[in-house]
Amino acid sequence: MNKKILNTLKEKLEKQKASIEGELGKFAKRDEKLKGDWDTKYPKSNGGAGSQVLEDAADDVEEYATLLSIEYNLELRLQDINLALEKINKGGYGKCEKCGKKILEERLKIHPEARMCTKCE
Ligand SMILES: [Zn+2]
């Protein structure tokens, strides 16, 4: 692959990585022990009395579940991005993980974190 294109894709990946980490940072805490793992913070109720407390608690559970699924998706993307960056550094970037064929540049320009070619995915 052309070095110039590779550099452009690398920049793209790094930008995406920063923006995903920024998103995650809004509601999750990076797990220092497990590199690349994030934990969603449990939202804290802002107090209240009687049934309001229970209602708030229910809202929190719902909000927490939503955030967990967002976190999960962002984390998966982040993992793919990190993997792609690693491959760019160590070699093997742009190869389909399933069939071993080159992934089309046009595809990588749109999804630089792609791990498989269009046929295999
Ligand atoms: Zn393939």
Side-chain angles (χ1 to χ4, degrees), residues 40-80:
T40 298
K41 293 175 212 159
Y42 196 83
K44 273 198 187 104
S45 284
N46 39 9
S51 63
Q52 187 59 42
V53 174
L54 283 175
E55 226 167 83
D56 282 350
D59 282 350
D60 284 352
V61 171
E62 211 173 290
E63 193 191 329
Y64 185 63
T66 311
L67 288 177
L68 273 185
S69 77
I70 296 172
E71 186 212 314
Y72 180 72
N73 285 316
L74 287 174
E75 231 178 73
L76 281 184
R77 281 193 61 201
L78 197 60
Q79 277 171 13
D80 283 351

Side-chain angles (χ1 to χ4, degrees), residues 96-101 116-121:
C96 172
E97 283 183 9
K98 216 169 174 185
C99 67
K101 283 185 188 148
M116 283 184 257
C117 69
T118 357
K119 266 191 197 159
C120 293
E121 205 170 56

